[in-house]
Amino acid sequence: MPSNKSVSDAPIVQFTNCRILRDHRLQREDLWVREGKILNPEKVFFDEKGSADVQLDCKGSIIAPGFIDVQINGGFGVDFSLATDDFKSGIDLVSQKILSHGVTSFCPTLVTSPPSVYHQVLPQISVRNGGAHGAGILGAHLEGPFISKEKKGAHPEHCLRTFEAGAFQDLLNTYGSLDGVRIVTLAPEMKRSSEVIRELTKRGICVSLGHSVANLSQAEEAVQHGATFITHLFNAMLPFHHRDPGIVGLLTSDKIPAGRRVFYGMISDGIHTNPAALRIAHRAHPKGLVLVTDAIAGMGLAPGRHTLGQQVVEIDGLNTYVAGTKTLSGSVATMDTCVRHFQEATGCSVETALEAASLHPAQLLGIEHNKGTLNYDSDADFLMLNDSLYVQATYIAGQEVWRRDASGM
C-alpha cells in the first residue's frame, strides 16, 4: 500500500477494537486520527491511497468525546474567585488534575466577587488549547454579581449588584473587561437586564439565567432577548409551581424562538438534585441537559474548611455548606461521577449520559463543529471508558494526556 506522506508527513493513528460514540449511538468502528483531528478513513484510503502508521488496540473500550465542564469554581485547593499571586499556577493545576475525570475543556467559573477580584483575575484567564499540560480553557463563566438577593445561595450578599441607568456600562465597570468571558449568569427579573442580555449576546457571550426569582414570562422574555442557558436548574431559583413554573417552565415553554434551544445545567451529584428531579428534567427536555460539576476548591481534598470566593465553606462527606449554615455551596463531585450518577438515576442510555457531558455543552457554546463529537474533522479530544463509564485514558488532539495505571489510580 503506498504511503500517505504526499498529503501530510504526520503519522496516522488507528484506534481499533473499540465502540465509538458517533451519531448518538455506540458503533463498532475504528477511530482514525492525524494532526489532532479525526479522519475519514475512506478519504485516506481512496484519495490518498494511505493507511495507518500506528494501530492501537483499545481492548473493547468505549471511545467518547472528551467532557466539557462549563461550571467549575476550582478544585484541589485552588479557588478561581480568589485573586492570588500564583493564580496562573493554580489554574494550571486544576486543568491538569481534571484530565483524570475525563474533562478535556472547561470554563473556569467565578462566583460573585468585588470588582477588584474580577479586574485582577480575568486578565489571567486566557482561552487556550488543551494538551499534556491540561484541559483546554474555553473562557470564563461569571456567575454573578448581578443576581437576586433572595436566591443568592452561597454568594456574598455585600458583593451583589444591580443594573443602574447605564446598565451595560455597569457590567463592564464591574468586570473590567469581557475578553475571554464565555458565559455570564444573571437574574433576568432585574431592571434593565434585557438591554444587558442583548449586548452580551451580540458579543458572542452566552447568557445564563440563575440565582433568580424570575417568573416564567420574565424568563421567556430573557430567552427572546438571547439567553440560552439556565444555571444549575432547580438550585437557587423559585421552586416549580403549577400556576407559574418560573425558570423551570422554560423546559417546556412554547414561547422559545424558532430554531433556538434552551440548555440547562444540572449538578448530578446525588445531593443538589433529587434523582426524581433529574428524571423530571431529563424527560421534559432531554436535548437541553448539560452536566456541570459546580466543583469548588475542596474537590479532591479531605473534608474540612475551604473557600468559595469570599465565603468559608465546610465539606462534610459529599455535602458542602457555607460555614455555620445548611446552605449548599457548590459541590466536590467530579465530572465522571456526575455522568455515572446521571445514568443510574435516570436509567438513560450510555450514549445519552455521555452526550450530556460532551455534545450538549459544545452545542451550548456553539463549538460542536470542533468539540463534543467524534465526527470527521473534529478535534481529537476523546476518552476511553470501560462499560461502567470509568475513564481509562484521556486524549487531547490525539495525544494521550492521562491514563489509569495498573493499580486503578
Side-chain angles (χ1 to χ4, degrees):
M1 171 91 47
S3 148
N4 48 282
K5 299 305 180 200
S6 57
V7 173
S8 170
D9 287 334
I12 294 176
V13 182
Q14 178 187 5
F15 294 82
T16 66
N17 187 15
C18 52
R19 287 159 293 154
I20 301 177
L21 176 55
R22 186 177 279 154
D23 296 328
H24 315 298
R25 59 194 181 89
L26 289 174
Q27 309 188 28
R28 283 211 167 270
E29 283 180 31
D30 294 351
L31 187 77
W32 296 62
V33 174
R34 176 172 61 197
E35 291 187 300
K37 297 284 184 183
I38 293 166
L39 289 180
N40 179 343
E42 287 191 3
K43 277 192 170 178
V44 172
F45 188 80
F46 291 111
D47 297 355
E48 303 178 22
K49 305 290 186 281
S51 58
D53 297 285
V54 181
Q55 285 189 325
L56 290 177
D57 182 353
C58 301
K59 301 183 169 61
S61 295
I62 292 169
I63 291 191
F67 298 149
I68 299 169
D69 193 352
V70 299
Q71 187 175 7
I72 171 171
N73 311 289
F76 313 98
V78 176
D79 185 342
F80 298 146
S81 303
L82 285 185
T84 56
D85 293 338
D86 58 350
F87 183 86
K88 281 198 163 156
S89 60
I91 208 165
D92 288 349
L93 175 73
V94 175
S95 65
Q96 174 70 51
K97 292 271 199 179
I98 58 178
L99 295 174
S100 67
H101 308 157
V103 177
T104 53
S105 303
F106 70 110
C107 293
T109 304
L110 278 73
V111 295
T112 295
S113 303
S116 60
V117 168
Y118 297 114
H119 292 206
Q120 287 176 68
V121 168
L122 287 179
Q124 300 187 72
I125 298 177
S126 43
V127 175
R128 69 182 188 205
N129 293 328
H133 58 273
I137 296 175
L138 299 170
H141 177 170
L142 305 181
E143 188 187 358
F146 301 98
I147 58 173
S148 155
K149 190 164 70 174
E150 294 87 342
K151 291 292 177 185
K152 66 182 187 299
H155 292 236
E157 189 170 327
H158 69 278
C159 294
L160 299 182
R161 298 174 78 86
T162 54
F163 296 122
E164 301 308 324
F168 190 67
Q169 194 56 48
D170 283 348
L171 178 135
L172 282 177
N173 293 344
T174 301
Y175 296 146
S177 165
L178 290 173
D179 293 345
V181 173
R182 203 59 188 262
I183 304 173
V184 170
T185 293
L186 53 77
E189 71 276 12
M190 295 180 87
K191 281 184 181 162
R192 307 182 184 89
S193 66
S194 297
E195 166 194 337
V196 171
I197 293 168
R198 282 196 302 269
E199 287 295 329
L200 287 169
T201 305
K202 238 188 257 178
R203 288 161 171 76
I205 293 171
C206 165
V207 175
S208 189
L209 311 180
H211 288 277
S212 163
V213 292
N215 59 33
L216 179 56
S217 64
Q218 289 168 325
E220 287 170 335
E221 189 184 345
V223 170
Q224 285 151 14
H225 289 300
T228 53
F229 194 38
I230 303 169
T231 296
H232 45 51
L233 186 77
F234 297 125
N235 294 110
M237 61 188 60
L238 290 178
F240 178 89
H241 189 282
H242 56 286
R243 279 194 290 276
D244 190 334
I247 290 177
V248 177
L250 287 175
L251 271 61
T252 57
S253 169
D254 57 1
K255 304 274 195 310
I256 308 298
R260 179 93 55 80
R261 187 187 305 178
V262 174
F263 293 88
Y264 58 97
M266 293 213 77
I267 309 166
S268 169
D269 62 352
I271 289 159
H272 278 77
T273 35
N274 184 284
L278 259 179
R279 289 191 286 273
I280 287 169
H282 176 247
R283 289 175 192 176
H285 184 27
K287 287 187 161 55
L289 195 148
V290 173
L291 292 176
V292 298
T293 61
D294 199 20
I296 64 168
M299 175 183 66
L301 301 180
R305 291 199 157 208
H306 302 282
T307 65
L308 177 60
Q310 310 298 302
Q311 308 269 52
V312 176
V313 299
E314 289 183 285
I315 298 177
D316 176 13
L318 291 176
N319 293 289
T320 60
Y321 302 114
V322 174
T325 75
K326 287 295 175 188
T327 300
L328 285 175
S329 56
S331 85
V332 288
T334 61
M335 184 57 91
D336 54 325
T337 305
C338 290
V339 169
R340 290 190 296 272
H341 179 261
F342 171 59
Q343 203 231 342
E344 189 182 331
T346 60
C348 71
S349 67
V350 163
E351 292 94 332
T352 297
L354 292 168
E355 286 187 344
S358 55
L359 176 63
H360 296 176
Q363 290 171 329
L364 164 72
L365 297 175
I367 57 172
E368 69 272 24
H369 300 300
N370 295 318
K371 297 189 185 295
T373 76
L374 298 178
N375 294 341
Y376 302 140
D377 299 322
S378 293
D379 294 348
D381 297 355
F382 58 90
L383 314 174
M384 286 186 196
L385 307 107
N386 65 17
D387 287 353
S388 302
L389 301 187
Y390 283 86
V391 181
Q392 306 301 302
T394 303
Y395 285 75
I396 293 181
Q399 300 295 314
E400 183 181 295
V401 292
W402 179 83
R403 176 169 290 276
R404 187 174 298 280
D405 64 26
S407 67
M409 298 299 286

